[in-house]
Amino acid sequence: MAKNDYCVIGLGRFGTEVASQLNKMGGNVMVIDKNPDLIQKAAKIHELAIVSDAGDINSLVETGIAGVGTVIVAVSNIESSIMICANLRELGVKDIIAKAVNNVHKRVLKTMGVPRVVIPEIEIADRIAFQALFNIGVDIVNIGSGFSWVKVTVNNKIILNKTLSELNIRNKYGTTIMMIQRQGHVIFPPTNDTKFELGDVVTFMCHDTKINNILKFFVRDTKTFDKK
């Protein structure tokens, strides 16, 4: 990868965690914050940590931000967030992921043309709600237009020993099985003859309105698929 594939602006708890995870996964990360103390701490982890007021376009230009592939704006202050995103758009940065603090903030950023806007608290709340509802660990990532990626562990014995063709998941649930992780191995892409095993970690894509039903299919010991 080219140097500085990613830049995180704003080193609060959210921005610090995002930058840390990108770094752990091998991403080349630049971090920016106007607080020298935060940058001093970040410099111990990231090769490029810059003190800069990203709300000032001239200061932002000096960081070399135009050469970065993806910029994550993790600033909580709404006015600052809007200004930074406006600067990034003016500088021609195309791939921007911005944190919003509420739906109004999100709507403003989307209106400005920011392609990806997240409200972390809502996304976390959604995941916790699903985990509480089904008493399991579920990872859910909203990908827009009412669709999500979902990752769940199979514990429904009734769906075992049946092929994907027999279960007919796509037609009955409007769900596409993308990948199955099994004991350290990845089945990608799964075929019509693929069968589930207990403990399989399944990644699938479906419409948000279908998530409840398909999760019951994977984690509840019911004959859901026979009733459809």
Side-chain angles (χ1 to χ4, degrees), residues 164-215:
L164 290 182
S165 179
E166 291 173 320
L167 295 172
N168 200 18
I169 296 172
R170 181 190 291 271
N171 291 331
K172 291 181 178 179
Y173 296 96
T175 298
T176 301
I177 306 299
M178 309 301 298
M179 179 176 69
I180 299 173
Q181 296 166 271
R182 177 180 297 160
Q183 298 179 353
H185 300 286
V186 174
I187 302 172
F188 176 81
T191 67
N192 286 335
D193 295 326
T194 300
K195 297 180 181 180
F196 293 115
E197 294 183 6
L198 284 179
D200 281 352
V201 178
V202 180
T203 300
F204 61 87
M205 182 181 72
C206 71
H207 195 274
D208 292 343
T209 58
K210 304 289 186 179
I211 292 177
N212 280 343
N213 285 338
I214 192 64
L215 284 179

Side-chain angles (χ1 to χ4, degrees), residues 57-58 60-61 65-66 85-94:
I57 194 167
N58 293 321
L60 196 57
V61 169
I65 195 79
C85 288
N87 289 341
L88 292 171
R89 293 281 294 164
E90 185 172 343
L91 293 174
V93 177
K94 295 181 179 180

Side-chain angles (χ1 to χ4, degrees), residues 34-50:
K34 60 183 179 182
N35 186 323
D37 293 334
L38 293 178
I39 289 299
Q40 186 176 8
K41 293 179 181 178
K44 298 176 182 178
I45 302 173
H46 306 286
E47 291 186 8
L48 192 55
I50 301 175

Side-chain angles (χ1 to χ4, degrees), residues 91-118:
L91 293 174
V93 177
K94 295 181 179 180
D95 194 10
I96 305 170
I97 303 173
K99 170 189 174 183
V101 298
N102 54 42
N103 285 321
V104 174
H105 185 194
K106 179 178 181 177
R107 187 161 60 249
V108 171
L109 293 177
K110 295 293 287 186
T111 301
M112 292 170 55
V114 176
R116 290 186 281 176
V117 183
V118 299

Side-chain angles (χ1 to χ4, degrees), residues 60-79:
L60 196 57
V61 169
E62 292 176 358
T63 67
I65 195 79
V68 175
T70 299
V71 179
I72 297 96
V73 181
V75 177
S76 295
N77 181 277
I78 295 178
E79 183 178 352

Side-chain angles (χ1 to χ4, degrees), residues 6-25:
Y6 306 96
C7 176
V8 177
I9 301 176
L11 293 178
R13 293 178 63 182
F14 176 73
T16 298
E17 184 63 25
V18 170
S20 176
Q21 290 299 321
L22 286 171
N23 186 61
K24 289 178 182 177
M25 291 185 286

